[in-house]
Amino acid sequence: ISTMNAKTSAGGEEEASGMRSKTVGESSHSGEIKRGQAILVAYLITILELTFLFMQMGVMPYLAKSLGLDSAGFGYLQTTFGVLQLVGGPIFGRFADQFGTRAALILSCASGSAFFLLMSISTSIPLLFLSRLPAVFMHGLPGSQKLITDLTSPSQRANALGKLGLCFGIAVIIGSALGGVLSTKFGIFVPTYVGLVGNLINTMIAVVWIPLQAKPTSDHHVTEHSNMFSIREILRLMKFPGVMEVFIVKVFAGLPIGLFLNMFSIISMDFFGLEAVESGYLMSYFGVLQMVVQGLVVGKLTNHCTERTLLRLSVFIFAGVGLGMALMRTVWHYCIIALPLVFAFSLLGTITDSILTKAVPSSDTGTMLGICASVQPLTQTVGPTIGGVLYKQFGVSSFGYLQLIVNIGLFVYLLKSKIPLKELKSQ
């Protein structure tokens, strides 16, 4: 009898163990599906937010002109937007670390709604400047990057982050076209109404579909009691091994090209002799390249090459782009150079974001992504001044020579330095 009882007990334990394993497997599968859905929602939020942002970028010069703002005043307006984004990036990242990605994305979408609401009632220049204020918290892209970072393993991160570049390309094409069509057919303020409604919808999507907590609770205790506006806490991240070195490469590798792109509206008229419509076509061409490169190339490269290799490759290609720009004479030359330019920009952005989020504790990834997001606004802030001097004093080729010299220096630095990187490939 005791033997039979033992067998029955053993059989019961095996059955219970099997049921537990099945339950765990089902739970794990369910968790994977939910994570996949949340990541897809993050891509959707990014596409919508950036589409509306590019839509207003195309309309803004005409709206400013209709209110009597001259070219110098428009430059101040753009600089105001850049400074607000520059200041807001790290603060938004700290907010995401302390209150969660869902709260951060809701804040970004709600700020976008306020941005377009103020823009839609801008009947004077002071109101137009006031409409820039919510831009301090409009960081949907870093918010989505934070969500993806929380929901993916380090080996999958570069590939998942790279797909956000595909979203960027889609937004450039749709936003640029939509802004022009709506303002031409229905009036200058109609794109602002569309942007307002779209951002309100985006806010509801974030409320309903983004999970309340994307990463384990144990990750939150480090920063929950620290000051969100603390500069010391933000700079603390730069002391982690390899962070400062990679961040320097991120800032300076694309800086000369960034200065060129800031001056592109003037260069396209003066140097290339393009009309506004032709400039729009060129912007759409960039969007298509971005989609192709991010969707078909960058993800596959992260599957087969280490991040150290890809970082060096992006800097090396940037140096070649600099040489091409130095010799560039026509818009057709620029269209050829645009392919390696977009590839290097996309690769550098994806790889450095991936490396930097792995280099800091998971409780600080939001702040790190916020700091990364401040690189572009920094270029927008200093770009008009430095780019204007370079263009007037030395011509278009000066951007190319500066790009070549800076990236040769960075490439030699990356070859000689021993930056500690986690050599992971995507699975």
Side-chain angles (χ1 to χ4, degrees), residues 37-307:
Q37 287 175 344
I39 290 172
L40 286 175
V41 170
Y43 291 146
L44 175 62
I45 288 173
T46 303
I47 289 172
L48 290 175
E49 181 161 316
L50 290 176
T51 294
F52 301 132
L53 196 60
F54 280 111
M55 184 178 69
Q56 72 84 31
M57 281 180 182
V59 173
M60 182 53 68
Y62 302 100
L63 179 58
K65 188 177 179 180
S66 70
L67 296 174
L69 197 65
D70 60 14
S71 57
F74 183 70
Y76 295 140
L77 188 69
Q78 295 295 80
T79 301
T80 302
F81 184 84
V83 169
L84 288 168
Q85 288 260 293
L86 176 64
V87 171
I91 296 172
F92 179 85
R94 295 277 295 157
F95 180 90
D97 283 333
Q98 293 193 25
F99 299 102
T101 312
R102 181 172 178 264
L105 281 170
I106 291 169
L107 173 64
S108 176
C109 296
S111 298
S113 302
F115 177 86
F116 280 100
L117 175 63
L118 289 170
M119 195 173 160
S120 69
I121 59 171
S122 294
T123 52
S124 65
I125 292 172
L127 270 175
L128 192 61
F129 272 88
L130 184 65
S131 72
R132 307 292 93 183
L133 196 57
V136 73
F137 292 123
M138 286 169 58
H139 294 280
L141 184 58
S144 296
Q145 288 175 324
K146 171 81 167 83
L147 181 72
I148 289 167
T149 300
D150 290 344
L151 294 177
T152 56
S153 65
S155 61
Q156 298 169 326
R157 190 169 299 167
N159 191 13
L161 288 173
K163 288 185 174 66
L164 281 172
L166 178 63
C167 300
F168 187 91
I170 294 169
V172 169
I173 296 169
I174 298 174
S176 303
L178 194 61
V181 170
L182 290 175
S183 59
T184 304
K185 291 193 176 238
F186 304 105
I188 197 76
F189 281 102
V190 171
T192 66
Y193 304 144
V194 173
L196 171 59
V197 174
N199 273 278
L200 288 172
I201 292 170
N202 231 5
T203 306
M204 293 308 299
I205 291 172
V207 170
V208 174
W209 292 103
I210 297 298
L212 190 60
Q213 188 171 294
K215 63 179 169 185
T217 28
S218 59
D219 287 340
H220 287 287
H221 73 280
V222 180
T223 57
E224 65 181 357
H225 298 300
S226 54
N227 183 4
M228 191 168 71
F229 299 96
S230 171
I231 300 296
R232 184 180 298 173
E233 282 294 311
I234 292 169
L235 294 178
R236 173 180 62 85
L237 300 185
M238 291 295 164
K239 296 178 182 176
F240 284 96
V243 170
M244 181 62 82
E245 294 91 336
V246 174
F247 188 73
I248 286 171
V249 173
K250 183 179 183 70
V251 172
F252 287 102
L255 182 60
I257 293 290
L259 298 176
F260 169 82
L261 293 174
N262 266 280
M263 297 298 298
F264 188 72
S265 57
I266 295 171
I267 291 170
S268 64
M269 287 187 294
D270 295 349
F271 187 75
F272 293 133
L274 301 181
E275 299 293 332
V277 177
E278 294 167 327
S279 293
Y281 293 150
L282 199 57
M283 183 67 76
S284 296
Y285 169 66
F286 263 90
V288 171
L289 285 181
Q290 179 96 11
M291 286 173 60
V292 171
V293 167
Q294 291 284 181
L296 301 177
V297 182
V298 172
K300 289 183 179 179
L301 280 176
T302 59
N303 290 335
H304 297 96
C305 304
T306 63
E307 290 176 338

